[in-house]
Amino acid sequence: MSLGLTYDGCNFFRQRLVLSTLSGKRVKIRNIRSKDDNPGLRDFEASFIRLLDKITNGTRIEINQTGTVLFYQPGLLYGGVVEHECNTQRSVGYYLEALLMLAPFMKNPLKAVLKGVTNDPTDPSVDQLKYTSIPVMKRFGIDGEGLELKVVKRGMAPGGGGEVLFTCPVRKTLRPIQLSEPGKIKRIRGIAYSVRVSPQMANRIVDSARSILNKFIPDIYIYTDHMKGDKSGKSPGFGLTLVAETLNGTFLSAEQVSTPQGQGDPVLPEDLGRNCAKLLLEEIYRGGCIDSANQSLALVYMTLGQQDVSKVLLGHLSPYTIEFLRHMRDFFQMMFKIETQKPAEDERKGGDKVLMTCVGAGYTNISKSIK
């Protein structure tokens, strides 16, 4: 039994538990908001632990009375059919991001139904994960019939009431990748959604987003998605997810969601569309072969690949990714070779890029039974 790792504080809670589950190393987290007026784990974190408990077999979890110390000893990733009520303080994206990392290494193919808030301003929405994370997974050889992420019902913050179906096949090993040329942008796609407001809102968002993006590229198509009745969740709201696709099959995305009901100044659909278009242009400037929302997902898959060299060109590393790399070193003793690349002045390739190289840990899916 390997000796566990000990951490302090509530930050990067998911990273630690996900990497602990993949590496089989137990983890102890102390001083979780111990100085806070309301100390200990929040409801959404407890809900996350319950989700991990559902998809694994033999996981031991101990939490002290105040909830400020957590001991987590991971079991085997079991998978199968799972249904989970996600806490409405965070969106389903918060839970899905972890599932995306764990899903390929299960014993049985995962079929997860997650209920809760599908779109909120803090976490990546289900739409963004669908348009950007799924292509990243395909790059690593996780594809086929079984890979699907579908919004069955939409639920906006704060009420929730949405439902998402995620299915993923299991893989014995992941293939290494070499992605160093993002390529030029060839088209922009998007989805403007609205629930429990006038369907006209979505059209207003589309027009304002196009007013900015039309200057750059003609091939833009933004779908409008207005869910009605019981598919529209419990709260009103609208939002936009934009995805730019390059010639080499890289997807870069940006999104904006309206302010949740009763949580601040309402936002005009026109402003939301324009802001989202500007965010997309910023993301394109950052560039790279994997967009900033999926950096850590790609790095996990690279680490857990076969014992072969993987290379990926990323844009500016987000603070979350940097912390993630530190955790990778703790759990998998995995060090990446990091080279910065400055594009020449006349190249018009956006901001500074980082080329990440590593040799996979040769991780094979031990839970999967050999047929």
Side-chain angles (χ1 to χ4, degrees):
M1 187 70 214
S2 57
L3 280 173
L5 294 155
T6 308
Y7 289 107
D8 262 10
C10 63
N11 278 350
F12 311 107
F13 180 76
R14 283 180 308 167
Q15 287 187 12
R16 288 164 185 170
L17 293 190
V18 165
L19 291 176
S20 158
T21 311
L22 286 170
S23 66
K25 290 185 179 167
R26 48 193 181 180
V27 80
K28 187 175 183 180
I29 304 177
R30 295 184 310 212
N31 299 336
I32 302 175
R33 304 192 179 86
S34 47
K35 303 264 194 301
D36 208 86
D37 294 343
N38 178 9
L41 291 168
R42 294 277 173 272
D43 290 347
F44 65 87
E45 290 165 334
S47 174
F48 180 74
I49 296 172
R50 278 197 292 278
L51 175 61
L52 284 182
D53 193 37
K54 282 179 189 171
I55 58 171
T56 55
N57 198 346
T59 298
R60 252 183 65 216
I61 301 157
E62 291 168 18
I63 301 172
N64 71 346
Q65 269 186 320
T66 50
T68 51
V69 179
L70 165 77
F71 172 77
Y72 179 85
Q73 183 174 333
L76 286 176
L77 281 162
Y78 189 75
V81 181
V82 175
E83 195 171 294
H84 188 66
E85 275 291 341
C86 300
N87 191 287
T88 51
Q89 293 169 350
R90 298 295 289 261
S91 91
V92 168
Y94 174 85
Y95 300 87
L96 253 179
E97 277 188 303
L99 282 187
L100 291 171
M101 289 180 184
L102 298 170
F105 307 107
M106 305 271 179
K107 179 174 177 169
N108 303 312
L110 180 69
K111 181 182 179 198
V113 176
L114 302 176
K115 298 179 176 175
V117 176
T118 54
N119 306 82
D120 78 349
T122 44
D123 296 301
S125 72
V126 178
D127 303 274
Q128 186 176 13
L129 295 174
K130 177 178 170 177
Y131 290 123
T132 60
S133 306
I134 298 292
V136 170
M137 293 172 81
K138 286 182 176 161
R139 287 261 162 111
F140 285 91
I142 307 161
D143 48 14
E145 301 282 293
L147 184 64
E148 187 189 20
L149 180 53
K150 188 168 144 199
V151 183
V152 185
K153 299 177 183 171
R154 224 175 250 297
M156 306 295 285
E163 188 177 309
V164 176
L165 174 71
F166 171 55
T167 57
C168 179
V170 287
R171 287 287 173 265
K172 189 151 171 45
T173 52
L174 299 184
R175 63 167 175 242
I177 55 162
Q178 311 282 329
L179 299 178
S180 50
E181 270 303 312
K184 288 203 167 11
I185 305 289
K186 67 172 174 183
R187 61 170 168 224
I188 293 176
R189 293 286 176 266
I191 181 163
Y193 46 86
S194 55
V195 290
R196 300 189 172 266
V197 292
S198 154
Q200 205 47 46
M201 291 289 192
N203 301 341
R204 286 164 61 185
I205 295 174
V206 173
D207 291 344
S208 60
R210 293 192 70 123
S211 70
I212 288 184
L213 297 173
N214 271 344
K215 299 172 191 162
F216 299 99
I217 193 169
D219 185 1
I220 300 174
Y221 199 89
I222 303 174
Y223 300 90
T224 54
D225 171 44
H226 181 74
M227 285 196 166
K228 296 189 183 72
D230 65 340
K231 292 203 167 104
S232 64
K234 298 177 182 167
S235 303
F238 48 86
L240 171 65
T241 303
L242 290 174
V243 182
E245 188 186 344
T246 70
L247 293 166
N248 296 356
T250 293
F251 293 85
L252 304 168
S253 68
E255 61 177 351
Q256 282 267 217
V257 186
S258 60
T259 321
Q261 188 181 22
Q263 288 185 15
D265 301 331
V267 55
L268 275 173
E270 282 77 12
D271 297 346
L272 184 128
R274 274 195 297 273
N275 289 344
C276 191
K278 286 174 186 163
L279 283 174
L280 182 70
L281 296 176
E282 260 177 50
E283 187 62 54
I284 291 170
Y285 177 78
R286 265 186 237 124
C289 296
I290 308 272
D291 73 335
S292 51
N294 293 301
Q295 286 174 349
S296 44
L297 180 70
L299 295 176
V300 160
Y301 287 166
M302 280 165 70
T303 299
L304 299 178
Q306 300 162 20
Q307 285 183 329
D308 207 341
V309 179
S310 283
K311 278 186 186 178
V312 67
L313 186 72
L314 299 177
H316 194 70
L317 292 180
S318 67
Y320 189 78
T321 309
I322 291 168
E323 200 56 48
F324 197 83
L325 288 166
R326 289 180 186 142
H327 281 112
M328 288 293 239
R329 191 187 58 202
D330 292 351
F331 283 98
F332 288 103
Q333 287 75 53
M334 174 57 69
M335 306 282 264
F336 282 81
K337 181 178 171 200
I338 302 177
E339 303 163 73
T340 49
Q341 297 187 353
K342 276 197 188 309
E345 293 287 314
D346 50 352
E347 270 193 313
R348 292 177 54 184
K349 279 198 177 165
D352 296 353
K353 305 284 185 285
V354 186
L355 185 66
M356 311 285 286
T357 315
C358 82
V359 177
Y363 183 94
T364 48
N365 184 346
I366 47 172
S367 322
K368 185 176 181 328
S369 46
I370 313 293
K371 296 264 190 313

